[in-house]
Amino acid sequence: NAGVTQTPKFQVLKTGQSMTLQCAQDMNHNSMYWYRQDPGMGLRLIYYSASEGTTDKGEVPNGYNVSRLNKREFSLRLESAAPSQTSVYFCASTTQRYNSYEQYFGPGTRLTVT
Amino acid sequence: KQEVTQIPAALSVPEGENLVLNCSFTDSAIYNLQWFRQDPGKGLTSLLLIQSSQREQTSGRLNASLDKSSGRSTLYIAASQPGDSATYLCAVRPETGADGLTFGKGTHLIIQP
């Protein structure tokens, strides 16, 4: 049981390049999330998917797109990277067991845009 | 809009002390509150989850309390150890609507050997 996994762990992009961050969970959770963490800003929600086939915007969605490929996988795409998107990106999923809605996080992807 | 504040932003104490980390939130309409630990360069590890109907949760040397009506939570760490050094994050889930978490900026804790 690997929990929440993310690839890649590190990435450097040039301004204007595109890339997709991958996330998968093996806990059979319905809901999945993407956050970004910036110094002095804390973690902020980018997009989430409450269930397979649905996605919704969070607090900071501009410049990003997401795909809920299946119940296990939720990807985040940067179509044209900008230096302001330099950040650490975390994927998370939530268990609804016993209606607890406890959230579990992946190890993060450290992205630098030059 | 929900805002979560954590005080202090940083704390350095000698090993063995008991300590309290504080978290406050502006909107009391929360479903639950979660405390996380983050080590440098790592992801978040869930420490304790308190449902809105609960007053406290305990795990080993950690005890978290919740006063929903006043918008406050505390994380109590007993007999601190150098291995407790990390950043501690508080986050709340809303009762309705978007179900992502709103995070505080964290308390950076250093336990001196």
Side-chain angles (χ1 to χ4, degrees):
Chain A
N1 195 339
V4 181
T5 57
Q6 294 183 235
T7 56
K9 287 186 168 52
F10 302 92
Q11 184 71 47
V12 178
L13 292 177
K14 295 187 189 305
T15 298
Q17 288 184 320
S18 62
M19 79 161 295
T20 299
L21 282 64
Q22 306 286 354
C23 173
Q25 52 90 12
D26 61 1
M27 297 176 283
N28 200 36
H29 291 170
N30 287 328
S31 301
M32 297 184 72
Y33 311 80
W34 278 104
Y35 295 87
R36 60 178 288 173
Q37 185 176 35
D38 303 293
M41 298 294 294
L43 278 91
R44 293 177 293 170
L45 182 67
I46 304 171
Y47 270 95
Y48 69 99
S49 171
S51 61
E52 188 178 352
T54 69
T55 60
D56 285 286
K57 296 178 180 179
E59 181 184 354
V60 288
N62 292 344
Y64 305 95
N65 286 300
V66 291
S67 295
R68 183 75 182 267
L69 304 170
N70 47 55
K71 191 172 186 178
R72 289 187 64 248
E73 298 173 289
F74 188 37
S75 63
L76 179 72
R77 183 160 178 84
L78 288 69
E79 291 291 351
S80 179
S84 61
Q85 294 178 305
T86 294
S87 188
V88 181
Y89 291 85
F90 288 101
C91 178
S93 66
T94 294
T95 179
Q96 290 162 269
R97 188 174 62 170
Y98 308 124
N99 290 323
S100 69
Y101 292 93
E102 184 169 5
Q103 204 153 118
Y104 297 86
F105 281 75
T109 294
R110 282 148 186 80
L111 175 67
T112 301
V113 183
T114 62
Chain B
K1 178 187 171 187
Q2 177 75 272
E3 293 183 2
V4 179
T5 303
Q6 291 188 245
I7 295 173
L11 183 63
S12 181
V13 300
E15 180 178 5
E17 285 201 4
N18 302 323
L19 54 96
V20 175
L21 308 183
N22 296 292
C23 171
S24 62
F25 45 95
T26 55
D27 186 350
S28 62
I30 64 168
Y31 187 89
N32 61 33
L33 182 145
Q34 212 167 338
W35 281 94
F36 294 90
R37 169 186 173 135
Q38 185 175 30
D39 293 290
K42 303 293 186 183
L44 280 69
T45 301
S46 181
L47 297 173
L48 289 164
L49 173 75
I50 310 178
Q51 301 295 353
S52 60
S53 58
Q54 296 175 321
R55 297 287 289 182
E56 66 178 336
Q57 282 286 341
T58 298
S59 176
R61 295 182 293 107
L62 304 180
N63 175 277
S65 67
L66 174 64
D67 185 341
K68 181 182 170 183
S69 60
S70 67
R72 295 178 185 175
S73 177
T74 61
L75 180 67
Y76 176 82
I77 302 177
S80 59
Q81 303 170 357
D84 294 330
S85 298
T87 296
Y88 291 79
L89 297 165
C90 165
V92 296
R93 177 191 169 91
E95 280 182 351
T96 59
D99 61 358
L101 298 178
T102 300
F103 280 83
K105 295 179 182 178
T107 294
H108 181 55
L109 177 64
I110 296 175
I111 308 298
Q112 306 153 11

